[in-house]
């Protein structure tokens, strides 16, 4: 089962990555893509990429310029919390200085009161598919849900450092990503990594709503407490552990079981003692005892090259 992003009161805003509960809707929409093609402002919407709780993402073009256009659902355009959450993503994607490992926007605007952000398409496939590839057609009748790929050590370190660099860039500008997970890390054929989806990002020190992907939340996210750079460090620690182990760490199926594991379950030791020490330091349940920031985590990983 794919992890989903959850969002619960007090915000009551559907999460943009709440895809598991909407997969049937997304599949039906994709099947009807040809019939649904439309112009949205200056953009031609070509292919539906994803549908989530907050909005939908289309592969789009404008005079041969290609982008991923993410627009708010029509039924949320008068929802104050949804508008505020979407505005944060627009502001981050357009206002932050560009970083090679962080998604950036071509533009952000609204069409007939419906906000959107046009994002540069990150080349490659997400790390989730790289680590846990779908079964080949010949074996589709008996897929192995636990099937996974273990990457070479040097590649693990390079991917993890790139993810840390993107998160550190956000932290330097006062924000926490809040949803770092393999599905939001796009890896190109040359191993260039792009951190995408700023849909649940918030300012450092923000808190209150439980948002994120359950198996990659920090314990303080699960409890609805304030977010700090250490919140992203925990998620990066989970990603690092999974890269080394070739297995999922806190995924338990239902979101509430994954969140319980985040809070209570220890991370089993890895076979690589040096990387295990780094991962365990990033995975401390108490943020005060955790590696403080993504930059420090990157430095520890650099020493292992």
């Amino acid at each position: 089962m794919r992890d989903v992003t959850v969002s619960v009161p007090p915000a009551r805003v559907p999460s943009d990555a709440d895809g598991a509960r909407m997969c049937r809707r997304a599949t039906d929409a994709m099947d009807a893509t040809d019939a649904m093609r439309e112009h949205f402002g200056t953009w031609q919407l070509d292919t539906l990429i994803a549908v989530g709780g907050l909005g939908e993402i289309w592969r789009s073009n404008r005079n041969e310029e290609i982008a991923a256009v993410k627009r708010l659902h029509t039924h949320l355009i008068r929802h104050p919390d949804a508008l505020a959450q979407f505005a944060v993503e627009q502001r981050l994607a357009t206002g932050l200085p560009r970083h090679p490992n962080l998604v950036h926007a071509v533009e952000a605007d609204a069409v007939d009161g419906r906000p959107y952000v046009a994002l540069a398409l990150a080349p490659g496939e997400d790390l989730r598919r790289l680590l846990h590839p779908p079964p080949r057609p010949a074996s589709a009748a008996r897929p192995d849900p636990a099937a996974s790929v273990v990457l070479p050590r040097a590649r693990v370190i390079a991917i993890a450092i790139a993810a840390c660099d993107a998160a550190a860039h956000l932290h330097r500008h006062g924000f926490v990503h809040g949803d770092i997970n393999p599905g939001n890390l796009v890896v190109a054929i040359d191993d260039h990594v792009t951190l995408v989806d700023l849909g649940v990002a918030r300012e450092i020190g923000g808190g209150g709503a439980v948002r994120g992907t359950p198996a990659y939340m920090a314990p303080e996210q699960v409890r609805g407490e304030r977010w700090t750079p250490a919140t992203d460090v925990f998620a990066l620690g989970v990603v690092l552990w999974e890269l080394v182990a070739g297995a999922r760490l806190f995924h338990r199926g239902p979101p509430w079981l994954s969140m319980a594991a985040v809070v209570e379950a220890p991370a089993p030791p890895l076979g690589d003692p040096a990387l295990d020490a780094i991962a365990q330091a990033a995975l401390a349940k108490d943020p005060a005892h955790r590696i403080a920031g993504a930059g420090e985590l990157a430095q520890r990983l650099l020493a292992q090259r």
Side-chain angles (χ1 to χ4, degrees), residues 20 61 71 95 132 142 144 152 159 211 219 228 233 235 241 255 261 271:
N61 77 84
R71 60 181 183 175
H132 309 286
R142 300 181 65 183
D144 179 6
I159 291 172
R211 292 200 188 118
T228 69
V233 167
W241 191 97

Side-chain angles (χ1 to χ4, degrees), residues 65-294:
E65 179 183 17
I66 305 298
V69 171
K70 179 176 181 179
R71 60 181 183 175
L72 190 69
H73 286 312
T74 53
H75 67 275
L76 294 176
I77 61 175
R78 289 182 174 81
H79 190 304
D81 290 334
L83 288 168
Q85 183 175 327
F86 202 89
V88 170
E89 182 169 7
Q90 287 182 309
R91 179 156 54 99
L92 283 176
T94 58
L96 281 180
R98 289 192 181 183
H99 187 280
N101 299 114
L102 186 67
V103 67
H104 66 271
V106 175
E107 66 179 23
D109 206 338
V111 174
D112 297 328
R114 187 176 185 181
Y116 73 92
V117 57
L119 301 161
L121 277 173
E125 64 178 352
D126 66 61
L127 185 59
R128 181 188 61 246
R129 291 178 61 86
L130 189 63
L131 292 176
H132 309 286
R136 295 180 179 179
S139 61
R142 300 181 65 183
D144 179 6
S148 60
V149 173
V150 177
L151 303 180
R153 189 178 194 270
R155 195 177 183 196
V156 164
I157 292 172
I159 291 172
I161 288 173
C164 289
D165 287 346
H169 181 70
L170 278 170
H171 300 164
R172 285 192 295 271
H173 291 87
F175 287 88
V176 179
H177 186 280
D179 199 18
I180 298 174
N181 68 77
N184 283 337
L185 291 166
V186 179
V187 183
I189 193 169
D190 62 354
D191 272 357
H192 180 83
V193 176
T194 305
L195 176 61
V196 301
D197 195 351
L198 302 172
V200 302
R202 64 182 58 187
E203 292 184 1
I204 292 173
V210 179
R211 292 200 188 118
T213 301
Y216 300 88
M217 288 181 179
E220 61 269 24
Q221 277 179 282
V222 173
R223 293 190 291 263
E225 298 170 355
R226 63 190 295 267
W227 294 10
T228 69
T231 303
D232 280 343
V233 167
F234 188 91
L236 289 164
V238 179
V239 172
L240 174 61
W241 191 97
E242 294 185 349
L243 280 166
V244 177
R248 294 182 173 94
L249 177 53
F250 296 123
H251 181 81
R252 300 292 188 271
W256 56 91
L257 291 181
S258 295
M259 289 189 283
V262 162
V263 173
E264 300 170 359
L270 295 165
D272 185 317
L275 292 182
D276 179 63
I278 296 172
Q280 297 294 345
L283 290 167
K285 303 297 187 184
D286 185 343
H289 299 153
R290 201 178 299 154
I291 294 174

